[in-house]
Amino acid sequence: MSTRDWPLWEVFVRARRGLSHVHAGSLHAPDAEMALRNARDLYTRRGEGVSLWVVKASDIEASTPDERDPFFDPAADKIYRHPTFYDVPEGVEHL
Amino acid sequence: MTDRPLLDYTLGLADDALVSAQRMGWWISRAPELEEDVALANIGLDQLGQARTLLTYAGELEQEGRTEDDLAYLRDDREFRNVKLVERPMTDFGVAMARLLLFSTYQLHLYRALSASSDATLSGIAAKAVKEVTYHVDHATHWVLRLGDGTAGSHARMQVALDAEWPYVDELFTPLDPTLTRLVADPSALRDPVLTDVRRVVAEATLAMPEVAPALGGGRQGLHTEHLGHLLAEMQHLHRSHPGATW
Amino acid sequence: MSYHWYRGHVYGNDFGTDAPAQDGQAPAHDEQAFAALLADEDRIEPRDDMPEAYRKSLIRQIAQHAHSEIIGMQPEGNWISRAPSLRRKAILMAKVQDEAGHGLYLYAAAETLGVDRADLVDQLHSGRQKYSSIFNYPTLTWADVGAIGWLVDGAAITNQVPLCRCSYGPYARAMVRVCKEESFHQRQGFEILHTLSHGTTGQKAMAQDAVNRYWWPSLMMFGPPDDDSPNSARSMAWGIKRFSNDELRQRFVDMTVPQSEALGLTLPDPDLRWNDERGHYDYGDIDFTELFEVIKGNGPCNAERMAHKRGAHEAGAWVREAADAYADKHARRTEGAA
């Protein structure tokens, strides 16, 4: 008896100029135009945004938990990428 | 001295918005999908907001100290100045979207013209409302397209809805009281731009422009359908049951 | 306990491709990973492997929560057309709209666990999933709108604030948003009752009657007593629940009694009094047989609430189908043009 649902869309909101779009949640809509409008009504009704993206959830490619170790662990030991790795003599500024 | 024609004109705008909001409120929890509950509530809230500022201004024009609530809750249907388009029941989604397309397209052109009025209060209210109503037109347009050009069943149903609303379009363009000509937007001048916009949406939705005779007007003079009395009875009964109470 | 390596369809913000599960079972170290995340008070996220029982328990709880928001639109929606001032009408419309929004946030969180909203809604319509019993009580007078805001939303907030720290990330995030938005709901209810209790004799009587009717059902919103709440211990261990039913109920009572005094309204419990020793208010025995009757479907409005919800869903079927058909047609046209 389960009826077909409208597709799922992920919503990204830019809270104000100068900030990136941030994932806010998801919703169902028959197509992109309606998804954008539903996103406006659902996720910005208290003035939370100045710009919106909607992306069909099925169009997003994401890393999976079983890829977590090879994807992210190798970055953990490259401490020389961070400024705190380096010794700076006392008194040297603007470095 | 009260400028009666300007007061009636303002009440007309206010009552159109108030009665529309009252009908729209019915949809919250009854829309075809939850996302649409949220959307229709937004539209109803915009309309209610317009009604409130306009009624407050009407109270000022009247100079009898009546508030927005006095005007909304303590007038009888013969004193309401809204068009008949907005007062009839609206419990079919096709009817709701047909009516929203017609009404909000009319409101958009009216408020645009009114935002240039020399009456500073009305022009301010209109300028704010233009943004809101632009979104209402957009929402209605998207739905009329989807229902008109959706399934065979929805096409037929949308056509029936449009035909049912059409007789009440003519009243929107009731000519202005001659004393207001230079002051506010004249609805009779909006017939072409409004119908041009509507015709474009109707054609794109693969629907036919209705060929039905206009219904008699009279709403602006307080001559309504039987439906308005019931709408007001429901809206006003609690307020009237406790005379003078604060809420 | 079997650990399910969930890799089904793409749901909610569970971004990813549709890959078949390799063997349906996670390697042994994943059990430890789940336990370690819980121990560190870290969040479980959608694509993490998790015990199947954890996933099922969350789906049931989040769905029930979402259904409650949606059915909760009806008792208050009952007064939108009759709100006694335009200001109150606007507030009420915005509030009922928020409830639809909160239901949507919660359904979205549930969908990250691998269920379709359509299926959850079907389960609500067929009675297989429940919603909060409080919404099976009628709103007979305008004061009931105030009582719902003050007591029912007050109880809901007491329950929900700890859920903002729930172990499941999407649920916790949804609750943060809900709690932020709900802060006005309880206040507007209190304001309605305060205005009524300081108004005419008739208004004050209306307010007292509403509080009399909504007080006990509000206490029942926290669920059965702790000794009688079979799933509580497991939910606590999983970091879904942070406090027991009775702890939360006590917190609500302690918060509400002083507010009732500020309202000038009494709470209908002769045993309600401050206990210096405990540092809490004592309250009388709750008649849980009523709660279980309402849960079974014998409450005052169970049938009406479901008929309203199903009716709207069925009446909207042609609209949803039309939108699908339009989207299909236009997707084909776009492809044809390319």
Side-chain angles (χ1 to χ4, degrees):
Chain A
M1 85 167 254
S2 172
T3 46
R4 177 184 159 193
D5 214 343
W6 287 337
L8 191 64
W9 302 78
E10 298 298 336
V11 179
F12 299 81
V13 180
R14 185 198 295 287
R16 55 174 196 274
R17 291 180 174 281
L19 298 179
S20 301
H21 287 77
V22 173
H23 184 248
S26 58
L27 51 77
H28 289 267
D31 54 50
E33 287 179 321
M34 294 308 285
L36 201 54
R37 284 157 181 82
N38 290 346
R40 177 262 196 191
D41 287 321
L42 184 58
Y43 286 103
T44 67
R45 62 188 191 283
R46 284 176 168 77
E48 295 96 330
V50 297
S51 168
L52 281 170
W53 291 345
V54 290
V55 184
K56 215 178 207 171
S58 59
D59 286 343
I60 293 176
E61 188 71 21
S63 63
T64 55
D66 54 335
E67 293 163 336
R68 188 172 49 214
D69 290 356
F71 261 57
F72 305 114
D73 279 6
D77 66 352
K78 309 215 173 26
I79 48 174
Y80 43 80
R81 289 193 195 274
H82 300 279
T84 47
F85 178 72
Y86 300 92
D87 290 327
V88 176
E90 223 169 285
V92 176
E93 290 176 2
H94 310 298
L95 190 69
Chain B
M1 205 187 79
T2 302
D3 181 346
R4 190 70 222 185
L6 184 61
L7 172 59
D8 279 339
Y9 181 84
T10 305
L11 282 174
L13 299 177
D15 292 344
D16 283 352
L18 178 61
V19 173
S20 291
Q22 182 75 3
R23 288 288 182 215
M24 202 55 90
W26 181 87
W27 278 96
I28 307 173
S29 81
R30 292 183 175 92
E33 194 49 280
L34 291 169
E35 281 83 356
E36 189 65 15
D37 276 317
V38 178
L40 295 180
N42 267 349
I43 291 171
L45 280 168
D46 286 343
Q47 293 173 335
L48 183 56
Q50 292 161 18
R52 293 181 63 191
T53 49
L54 286 162
L55 284 174
T56 301
Y57 185 50
E60 288 167 22
L61 290 171
E62 190 187 46
Q63 299 175 324
E64 287 177 20
R66 290 211 280 182
T67 65
E68 58 173 29
D69 285 340
D70 294 335
L71 289 168
Y73 289 95
L74 300 176
R75 281 181 301 149
D76 291 328
D77 56 348
R78 292 282 285 109
E79 299 165 272
F80 269 71
R81 292 284 173 266
N82 60 281
V83 288
K84 293 178 181 176
L85 177 71
V86 296
E87 73 196 29
R88 294 162 311 111
M90 191 174 81
T91 57
D92 173 90
F93 191 72
V95 167
M97 290 303 107
R99 186 178 304 177
L100 185 64
L101 177 70
L102 298 168
F103 177 59
S104 59
T105 304
Y106 159 78
Q107 274 192 311
L108 178 60
H109 285 279
L110 186 73
Y111 283 138
R112 262 194 206 144
L114 194 58
S115 61
S117 165
S118 58
D119 183 305
T121 308
L122 283 179
S123 75
I125 294 170
K128 176 173 180 288
V130 163
K131 290 182 202 167
E132 297 168 349
V133 171
T134 301
Y135 193 78
H136 305 175
V137 173
D138 175 87
H139 191 81
T141 299
H142 280 286
W143 272 119
V144 171
L145 292 179
R146 278 155 186 77
L147 298 176
D149 192 16
T151 62
S154 74
H155 176 87
R157 215 164 151 167
M158 193 61 223
Q159 187 68 56
V160 169
L162 191 62
D163 290 352
E165 294 307 289
W166 202 261
Y168 301 93
V169 170
D170 195 61
E171 189 188 3
L172 294 170
F173 311 118
T174 304
L176 196 62
D177 184 285
T179 62
L180 298 176
T181 310
R182 305 181 72 85
L183 184 65
V184 295
D186 180 0
S188 65
L190 303 177
R191 185 184 296 269
D192 280 348
V194 170
L195 293 184
T196 302
D197 285 0
V198 169
R199 200 173 288 121
R200 196 184 313 123
V201 177
V202 168
E204 200 186 332
T206 70
L207 296 164
M209 283 294 271
E211 291 180 17
V212 286
L216 279 179
R220 298 288 187 224
Q221 286 82 49
L223 295 168
H224 295 281
T225 64
E226 291 176 348
H227 302 292
L228 184 65
H230 292 273
L231 179 145
L232 295 181
E234 184 176 357
M235 185 176 92
Q236 297 176 335
H237 100 269
L238 174 61
H239 185 98
R240 290 189 181 211
S241 301
H242 299 260
T246 305
W247 298 97
Chain C
M1 191 176 290
S2 114
Y3 280 67
H4 181 82
W5 189 245
Y6 181 72
R7 295 189 56 185
H9 210 73
V10 182
Y11 292 105
N13 43 28
D14 174 16
F15 305 135
T17 50
D18 204 3
Q22 281 163 354
D23 57 8
Q25 295 290 317
H29 73 267
D30 292 309
E31 187 171 345
Q32 289 163 5
F34 179 78
L37 283 172
L38 284 187
D40 290 352
E41 292 269 312
D42 218 336
R43 294 280 187 269
I44 313 296
E45 293 295 345
R47 294 180 73 77
D48 290 335
D49 39 302
M50 57 186 84
E52 181 62 7
Y54 174 84
R55 191 177 78 86
K56 282 203 168 136
S57 175
L58 271 172
I59 290 173
R60 190 185 51 81
Q61 180 173 339
I62 301 173
Q64 179 167 330
H65 197 161
H67 299 330
S68 300
E69 295 280 357
I70 299 307
I71 299 295
M73 296 168 73
Q74 292 180 36
E76 290 174 283
N78 182 37
W79 282 91
I80 289 176
S81 65
R82 297 175 290 169
S85 72
L86 297 185
R87 173 173 173 270
R88 291 286 175 209
K89 191 189 287 286
I91 293 169
L92 188 57
M93 277 172 82
K95 180 173 189 264
V96 178
Q97 181 197 38
D98 270 353
E99 280 149 16
H102 297 169
L104 286 170
Y105 303 155
L106 287 160
Y107 282 127
E111 286 187 290
T112 66
L113 290 159
V115 284
D116 273 325
R117 186 171 93 191
D119 291 332
L120 299 178
V121 170
D122 274 349
Q123 293 189 51
L124 170 66
H125 290 171
S126 65
R128 277 170 295 155
Q129 284 183 344
K130 302 289 182 194
Y131 54 90
S132 178
S133 287
I134 192 77
F135 301 119
N136 288 317
Y137 289 88
T139 49
L140 301 176
T141 71
W142 168 251
D144 291 10
V145 175
I148 287 184
W150 178 46
L151 295 174
V152 175
D153 291 338
I157 291 168
T158 309
N159 264 328
Q160 287 169 0
V161 166
L163 287 172
C164 297
R165 294 187 292 120
C166 157
S167 62
Y168 188 58
Y171 192 24
R173 290 191 287 276
M175 290 320 300
V176 168
R177 190 178 271 271
V178 168
C179 286
K180 211 190 280 179
E181 296 185 354
E182 282 216 341
S183 51
F184 102 78
H185 293 187
Q186 195 191 7
R187 249 181 224 201
Q188 66 86 38
F190 185 88
E191 192 193 75
I192 287 175
L193 290 178
H194 193 266
T195 307
L196 293 176
S197 69
H198 293 80
T200 64
T201 317
Q203 284 179 307
K204 181 158 186 183
M206 193 194 284
Q208 185 62 60
D209 170 59
V211 169
N212 290 350
R213 282 182 289 112
Y214 272 93
W215 171 249
W216 290 107
S218 300
L219 293 189
M220 294 177 204
M221 285 175 68
F222 295 92
D226 292 347
D227 344 334
D228 200 12
S229 182
N231 299 324
S232 279
R234 204 177 54 170
S235 284
M236 301 261 261
W238 279 335
I240 298 173
K241 215 171 152 62
R242 298 285 177 180
F243 301 97
S244 77
N245 294 352
D246 287 331
E247 280 176 299
L248 290 168
R249 187 163 18 237
Q250 183 69 60
R251 187 178 293 184
F252 172 71
V253 171
D254 291 347
M255 180 181 84
T256 307
V257 174
Q259 292 173 358
S260 72
E261 287 158 8
L263 285 173
L265 297 172
T266 57
L267 297 171
D269 179 359
D271 298 324
L272 192 67
R273 64 179 57 85
W274 178 252
N275 181 328
D276 231 356
E277 220 166 281
R278 290 204 309 129
H280 292 292
Y281 284 93
D282 290 337
Y283 52 92
D285 288 336
I286 298 171
D287 177 12
F288 280 105
T289 52
E290 176 177 320
L291 175 67
F292 294 126
E293 277 307 303
V294 181
I295 289 175
K296 268 194 278 176
N298 303 324
C301 299
N302 297 55
E304 285 93 331
R305 299 294 183 240
M306 290 312 298
H308 178 120
K309 178 72 179 73
R310 280 196 215 107
H313 189 73
E314 283 158 19
W318 72 283
V319 175
R320 296 191 299 275
E321 284 159 19
D324 274 333
Y326 179 90
D328 287 348
K329 265 188 225 177
H330 284 260
R332 276 205 306 278
R333 273 178 219 162
T334 316
E335 278 164 28

